[in-house]
Every structure is written in C-alpha cells, then in structure tokens.
Amino acid sequence: GPNNATLVIAGDVKTDDALTLVDRYFGPILPGPSVRNTPRKVSTMDAIIYASYEDSLIQQPQLIRAYPAPYRHHYDEAELDAAAFVLGTGANSLLYQALVKTQLASEVDVSNYASELSGEFVISAIPYPGVSLGQLDAAITQCIDSIARDGLAKRQVDQFITRYQVDTMR
C-alpha cells in the first residue's frame, strides 16, 4: 500500500509534471493496514536440529552449522564478528589450521550475518574425500570448545580489529 511505499523519480523531469503523473497513477490506491515495526530479538533454540538434504547434481557433501545470533548493532555483534574472523578467515584461522591443514576439509568458511531483526552465525566446511561429516563435526566442536574455554588471544583480537579498520577504510 502507499502508506508503506517509497517512490523515487530520477531524470530530467519537471517537478509539476512528475507530481501530476504520480497523482494519476498512484493517487487512487487506498492505504493498506498500518504497518507496525517488528521488534528485534535474539532468537534461541530449544534443541539441536539436524537436517540432511541430497541432490543428484551435488558431487561433494558439505557440513553447515547455523546458530541463531543477534541482530545488527546488538552489543554481542562485534564479539561474534571477531569469533568468525578468528575461526574462519584466512590461512591462520583456527578452523583452517584444524581442518584444511590436516586434510579433514578442503574448504572452510565462517560468517556472522547480522541483519536488521535477527542474525545467524554460520560455519560451513567441505570434507576431503574419505572424511565423514561426523569427523568434521567433531573437529569443529573441538575448536569452538577451545574458544569457549580459553577465549580469544589478544593477538587474534588485534588482528581482527586491524582487518576491520582496513576493510572499513577501503
């Protein structure tokens, strides 16, 4: 409805002509129900959910772990961004060292996707041939447990901050 719409007019137009056309084409549209803002919240899960999908066109298995995470600008967002960086960004990351260097996985990626209303923290990995998804899952759990137990090293946090500042300036 027009009460939840934005119209952009660009180009070499005369304002009065444009407003006449807007009124002709959009003026008769009645407003819809009022739009309420959806409250932001940090989602939770009561249980671990496992799902498996198969497709005849897919040649390699992939393990994806997705966790509910806070929305954009929540006070925990920066910490999860740092954890995603330390776990899965670059050849020095914990999961790269634990999975790719040891040939448990050919590829690993970690991201914290914070959106307006909620977010998700995602770890994905593709196992080497002969490595089961269970083995991969156990190795990922070990890395996460080590961060939960020991926290992040100052050096790791400093690397994340530097990378964040560089990316922001670019």
Side-chain angles (χ1 to χ4, degrees), residues 163-170:
R163 172 78 178 267
Y164 185 86
Q165 289 171 337
V166 168
D167 288 348
T168 300
M169 286 186 273
R170 285 187 187 152

Side-chain angles (χ1 to χ4, degrees), residues 81-122:
D81 287 343
F85 176 83
V86 171
L87 275 170
T89 302
N92 291 326
S93 67
L94 296 178
L95 286 174
Y96 187 92
Q97 293 294 317
L99 303 177
V100 177
K101 286 286 191 179
T102 62
Q103 296 189 342
L104 287 174
S106 60
E107 182 180 317
V108 65
D109 182 64
V110 182
S111 298
N112 181 42
Y113 300 107
S115 297
E116 185 176 354
L117 299 178
S118 67
E120 64 183 2
F121 189 88
V122 178

Side-chain angles (χ1 to χ4, degrees), residues 149-161:
R149 183 184 58 249
D150 305 329
L152 301 177
K154 182 180 181 335
R155 171 190 55 77
Q156 294 169 315
V157 174
D158 290 344
Q159 286 174 336
F160 165 72
I161 291 170

Side-chain angles (χ1 to χ4, degrees), residues 138-150:
I140 291 170
T141 298
Q142 281 184 324
C143 283
I144 292 171
D145 288 349
S146 74
I147 289 179
R149 183 184 58 249
D150 305 329

